[in-house]
Amino acid sequence: MPTFRADLYLRIKIKDFDLINSSNNLFEILKKLTWLRNIQMTKVRQDKELHGRMVINEWYEISGSIDVPEGSKSFWVLSKEFSQDEPYNFFMRIDRNIEAEDYDSAQKKAADWIHEILIESIKKEFLVDDFELEPPINLRKKVDLTRELT
C-alpha cells in the first residue's frame, strides 16, 4: 500500500483558558503520548509599539517529531489567548506519513488517529468549547474531518 503525507491542522478553543497553566497542562499531556519525540516548549514574547503604546504579546510554542512506523514527521503547537483574528487557544500542525489507498483515505485515516489519540487526551484534561480539524485549505480542497463534540 502506498504511503502519503497527511498534513492536518487542529484548532481548539478551551473554556477557562489560562495561558501559563493551560500551556503547561497541554505540554504534560503531549509528553505522555508515546508517538511524540524530542518534545520541547518555548515561551515567545513580542513587544511592539502601536500608536505610541507598547503592546506585549506572549504565547507558547511546542514542537517535536512524530514517530510512526510509516516514517517520522513533524508536530507543532501554538498556545495563545483567543482573539478575533485567531479564534482558538491551541493551533496544532500534525504532519505524518500514513499508508492508505489514496490521498483522501490517508487524510481520513490520519484524522481518525488524531481524534483517537490526541483529541480524546485533550478532552480528558480540558473543557473543549470547539475544535476544527482540516487539511491546509490552500493546498487542497477542504475536507470536513470534524466530529461532533461528545
Side-chain angles (χ1 to χ4, degrees), residues 59-76:
W59 64 89
Y60 286 86
E61 292 184 7
I62 302 170
S63 62
S65 59
I66 298 174
D67 187 14
V68 291
E70 298 91 347
S72 297
K73 287 293 179 189
S74 63
F75 180 81
W76 179 79

Side-chain angles (χ1 to χ4, degrees), residues 101-147:
E101 294 294 324
D102 56 35
Y103 179 78
D104 288 337
S105 297
Q107 289 288 89
K108 176 74 171 109
K109 192 174 176 182
D112 290 344
W113 177 77
I114 291 167
H115 276 279
E116 180 183 330
I117 307 270
L118 183 58
I119 294 172
E120 291 305 317
S121 297
I122 291 170
K123 286 168 60 176
K124 288 177 186 172
E125 284 295 319
F126 293 99
L127 294 173
V128 175
D129 191 32
D130 190 25
F131 73 91
E132 279 185 306
L133 178 64
E134 63 188 13
I137 57 177
N138 292 339
L139 303 176
R140 183 107 172 127
K141 65 180 174 148
K142 187 171 181 177
V143 178
D144 186 13
L145 301 173
T146 304
R147 294 184 183 170

Side-chain angles (χ1 to χ4, degrees), residues 9-105:
Y9 295 167
L10 175 60
R11 288 184 288 274
I12 303 174
K13 182 180 173 191
I14 303 295
K15 291 183 182 179
D16 302 323
F17 180 82
D18 173 78
L19 181 61
I20 295 170
N21 291 329
S22 297
S23 298
N24 285 326
N25 288 345
L26 180 62
F27 184 60
E28 290 302 316
I29 291 168
L30 297 175
K31 285 191 331 187
K32 293 176 186 172
L33 298 177
T34 59
W35 50 270
L36 280 177
R37 300 283 184 265
N38 308 317
I39 188 161
Q40 58 187 349
M41 182 167 73
T42 305
K43 183 177 183 178
V44 181
R45 179 181 166 130
Q46 177 188 54
D47 301 341
K48 64 180 177 180
E49 185 179 339
L50 183 65
H51 306 296
R53 298 181 65 197
M54 286 303 295
V55 176
I56 300 170
N57 291 315
E58 293 181 334
W59 64 89
Y60 286 86
E61 292 184 7
I62 302 170
S63 62
S65 59
I66 298 174
D67 187 14
V68 291
E70 298 91 347
S72 297
K73 287 293 179 189
S74 63
F75 180 81
W76 179 79
V77 179
L78 171 68
S79 177
K80 56 165 243 16
E81 296 290 341
F82 180 92
S83 70
Q84 287 300 109
D85 292 335
E86 298 172 321
Y88 52 81
N89 300 112
F90 300 141
F91 174 85
M92 301 182 189
R93 179 179 175 173
I94 301 108
D95 180 9
R96 69 160 286 184
N97 291 336
I98 196 159
E99 290 182 353
E101 294 294 324
D102 56 35
Y103 179 78
D104 288 337
S105 297

